[in-house]
Amino acid sequence: MVPYDIYRLLRCPTCGSRDLIVTDGGVACAACSAEYPRRNGYLDLMPRGVEFGYVSKYVSEEEELAHELDYHDLAPPLLAAGVRNRALRRLLDLRPTDIVLDSGCGNGRFAAWNANRVRLMVGVDPATLFADEAIKTVALVQGDARRLPFADGMFDKAFSIDVLEHFPRDVIDAYLGETARVLRPGGRFLVFSNTREPSRLQPLVEASRWLGRQFVRAGVYDFEREARRKSDHIKALATWEDVLEAMRHAGLRPVRVVFWNSVATSFVEHVLMKLGEAVVGRSRREAPQRDSAASTDDGAPIGEGTAREIRARQRMRARLQRRGPVYYALLAVTLFMELDLWLFGRARSGSYFIVVEKPMASDP
């Protein structure tokens, strides 16, 4: 979706000019002559003639990852994604008058889940693996968070879910600095990410992981897809002090913090959910699939476990849309996982939600 309202937010990501012309095909900059086409449901606002030292694998391997990420269709916000989304709504207090930025939106699921709660939801990502629902409901932009294509102070709120752990420190500083720039004074920004720090409750988390490893050794399931998804995690903000220092460096003031000690979540993710995927994702006899030879759209092989997990998620999405017993069972599991935030949210851990604020000009 490319709503007309988004054009008034823009500035040229190449030269920084606001002298932009809306054309039949997209946007053109009168200052530097750069052209930014409107593509299938989004604007291409990548800076022209700029080479960045760091490029995410989701950009460099976009075609290879397209099938594995299974990004086109969205399920309702449940399980770990549901906990994140409920925390986002609660901590950021989204309102009907808000203009909101999802920076590093991925397939746009969090933006799509919350688009009807705000005046305008904008999602930006350098990769274009956008879900079909996001294309319909979110103002999507292909852009780089180190040079956001938006003018100063355009957004009331912003959020970042599972992004910072992918970046080296210089990219984090640029990312946070640009987010601060496009927020209005008094605007708030929610970040969910994780450091390298274990919590005091780590033995309980490790118990679930140990149980999960026993099922892996028995060949019941594997964590191949998760390992690939996390293979570029850098966690340059290794400690909580690093997180706070990075926010201060960007001129952002912490307002609220909730830690995610994944005691219940670890059991669900390492045991309960994986057992369910192993059952639901089995190949049907009437339609056998060669799981060990499964491949992505460009022919790159994926493992049996990944193929089974993708099948399970596709089959479950079809059931969840009907909002029947399966949906409410998973909602109950989601609320069980959310207990981690309510019971242990003050105990420092690696995973965290932090809300920061851009100070008003009059603030000391």
Side-chain angles (χ1 to χ4, degrees):
M1 180 178 74
V2 185
Y4 190 80
D5 282 351
I6 195 173
Y7 293 110
R8 70 180 187 84
L9 308 179
L10 300 180
R11 79 173 197 180
C12 177
T14 303
C15 71
S17 172
R18 293 216 67 190
D19 192 3
L20 299 178
I21 302 167
V22 179
T23 67
D24 290 339
V27 178
C29 178
C32 70
S33 301
E35 295 185 356
Y36 304 101
R38 183 171 56 249
R39 303 197 187 277
N40 184 26
Y42 65 91
L43 281 172
D44 174 0
L45 287 165
M46 292 291 287
R48 303 307 193 231
V50 177
E51 291 188 8
F52 294 108
Y54 169 82
V55 179
S56 165
K57 77 172 184 179
Y58 293 97
V59 177
S60 62
E61 303 177 27
E62 182 172 336
E63 292 185 6
E64 294 91 332
L65 290 169
H67 177 72
E68 184 177 333
L69 291 174
D70 186 28
Y71 66 92
H72 279 290
D73 298 317
L74 295 183
L78 296 167
L79 301 174
V83 175
R84 288 170 172 81
N85 195 59
R86 288 168 62 85
L88 162 65
R89 291 178 176 180
R90 184 168 60 251
L91 296 173
L92 204 52
D93 187 25
L94 298 176
R95 298 183 180 184
T97 56
D98 287 338
I99 299 175
V100 181
L101 174 66
D102 180 356
S103 185
C105 66
N107 72 342
R109 58 179 176 165
F110 290 98
W113 286 334
N114 293 285
N116 64 350
R117 291 175 170 262
V118 300
R119 176 182 169 188
L120 179 65
M121 179 67 74
V122 179
V124 60
D125 202 281
T128 58
L129 302 177
F130 300 131
D132 295 343
E133 184 180 344
I135 289 174
K136 295 176 183 177
T137 61
V138 178
L140 291 170
V141 169
Q142 182 185 16
D144 194 288
R146 287 164 286 192
R147 284 204 185 186
L148 286 173
F150 308 112
D152 297 358
M154 290 289 104
F155 292 92
D156 300 293
K157 290 165 185 171
F159 60 90
S160 167
I161 307 293
D162 294 314
V163 174
L164 292 189
E165 63 268 26
H166 295 274
F167 294 159
R169 181 57 193 265
D170 62 325
V171 177
I172 291 173
D173 287 342
Y175 176 94
L176 294 177
E178 278 290 273
T179 304
R181 179 183 66 79
V182 302
L183 275 178
R184 65 167 176 79
R188 292 192 170 187
F189 176 38
L190 177 138
V191 173
F192 173 76
S193 187
N194 51 82
T195 67
R196 299 176 184 271
E197 292 184 301
S199 76
R200 293 174 295 175
L201 300 170
Q202 196 65 27
L204 297 176
V205 174
E206 290 300 329
S208 295
R209 292 179 175 174
W210 177 88
L211 184 57
R213 288 194 295 271
Q214 308 318 302
F215 284 109
V216 171
R217 291 192 181 103
V220 178
Y221 52 74
D222 62 47
F223 291 94
E224 176 190 68
R225 188 167 182 247
E226 181 182 13
R228 180 159 168 78
R229 183 175 62 84
K230 295 182 177 180
S231 62
D232 70 338
H233 282 197
I234 298 171
K235 297 187 181 181
L237 302 181
T239 67
W240 180 240
E241 284 74 21
D242 291 339
V243 175
L244 295 177
E245 194 281 327
M247 298 299 171
R248 286 193 294 266
H249 185 265
L252 297 167
R253 180 173 57 199
V255 173
R256 188 174 177 189
V257 176
V258 177
F259 293 104
W260 193 352
N261 286 269
S262 55
V263 177
T265 299
S266 185
F267 175 74
V268 172
E269 293 191 329
H270 287 84
V271 181
L272 188 62
M273 189 171 71
K274 297 300 293 184
L275 286 173
E277 288 173 350
V279 173
V280 176
R282 286 182 300 185
S283 295
R284 294 168 177 162
R285 291 183 180 180
E286 66 273 20
Q289 299 186 31
R290 295 189 302 162
D291 293 342
S292 60
S295 64
T296 60
D297 292 342
D298 70 341
I302 61 175
E304 179 180 350
T306 295
R308 182 170 56 238
E309 184 176 335
I310 291 172
R311 279 198 307 274
R313 290 172 183 259
Q314 290 173 342
R315 292 170 182 172
M316 288 303 296
R317 279 200 298 266
R319 298 181 187 180
L320 293 173
Q321 297 302 332
R322 296 192 291 268
R323 298 294 177 100
V326 174
Y327 170 84
Y328 289 105
L330 290 183
L331 178 59
V333 174
T334 303
L335 298 177
F336 171 68
M337 296 169 72
E338 194 175 1
L339 285 175
D340 287 334
L341 304 185
W342 296 107
L343 297 178
F344 313 120
R346 294 186 179 182
R348 180 163 157 174
S349 71
S351 297
Y352 61 87
F353 295 90
I354 183 171
V355 179
V356 292
E357 185 177 74
K358 181 176 180 177
M360 303 291 289
S362 59
D363 289 348

